[in-house]
Amino acid sequence: MDADIALLRRTIALTESAVLHGNTPFGALLAGPDGSILLEQGNIEITEHDCTGHAETALVRQASRLFSKDFLAMCSLYTSVEPCAMCAGAIYWSGIGRVVYGMSERRLLELTGNDPLNPTMDLPCRTIFASGQRNIVVVGPFLSLSTEIEAVHLSFWKHHEH
């Protein structure tokens, strides 16, 4: 649990970096079976002009090029916010075996409302994964990190132009 919290804190730093680079505040990382960080990724949808440039999907693209599905099945994807439907689908198809997230998609929707930059779906990743044929372990949300995660989002969504 302490290792999960430490890695989730790293994803919060990645959200801050994504914002500094002109993107929305989301970050993800891939940890190997031993807990070491293999890949890190912030959102790139704005700077790359790619609506699929969410941190998790971009990370999965890299991971699937570098690692086998058998290896990815032993890895964990950490993300500041619960994966959206698109990202959950990418995670499912990649073969990654475990997902750990800080803040729920539902809470993100409460924070962003109907912001056109983030048309959040209220669809839990557990629902998407349960529709598939592979078991993916899901851990989250971490309410102990909610203040840290929400601070980045409240600052960003309050100050960006619609």
Side-chain angles (χ1 to χ4, degrees), residues 83-159:
C84 71
M86 174 187 69
C87 292
I91 293 165
Y92 175 82
W93 289 109
S94 75
I96 291 170
R98 183 170 178 260
V99 173
V100 182
Y101 68 88
M103 183 171 68
S104 72
E105 183 83 348
R106 176 166 287 162
R107 181 64 182 136
L108 178 65
L109 179 59
E110 291 169 0
L111 294 176
T112 62
N114 66 348
D115 192 301
L117 190 56
N118 192 56
T120 302
M121 294 179 172
D122 185 7
L123 181 58
C125 68
R126 284 177 173 92
T127 301
I128 295 165
F129 296 147
S131 300
Q133 299 176 45
R134 279 193 323 101
N135 182 40
I136 298 173
V137 175
V138 179
V139 182
F142 279 72
L143 299 180
S144 62
L145 296 175
S146 61
T147 301
E148 295 171 55
I149 296 168
E150 289 179 17
V152 179
H153 284 272
L154 289 169
S155 175
F156 179 84
W157 298 108
K158 180 179 178 181
H159 293 105

Side-chain angles (χ1 to χ4, degrees), residues 75-91:
C75 294
S76 297
L77 184 144
Y78 288 81
T79 181
S80 54
V81 177
E82 181 176 11
C84 71
M86 174 187 69
C87 292
I91 293 165

Side-chain angles (χ1 to χ4, degrees), residues 5 10 26 39 41 49 72 86 94 104 152 155-156 162:
I5 289 173
R10 178 63 192 148
F26 299 91
L39 297 170
Q41 182 67 55
H49 306 285
L72 290 173
M86 174 187 69
S94 75
S104 72
V152 179
S155 175
F156 179 84
H162 294 335

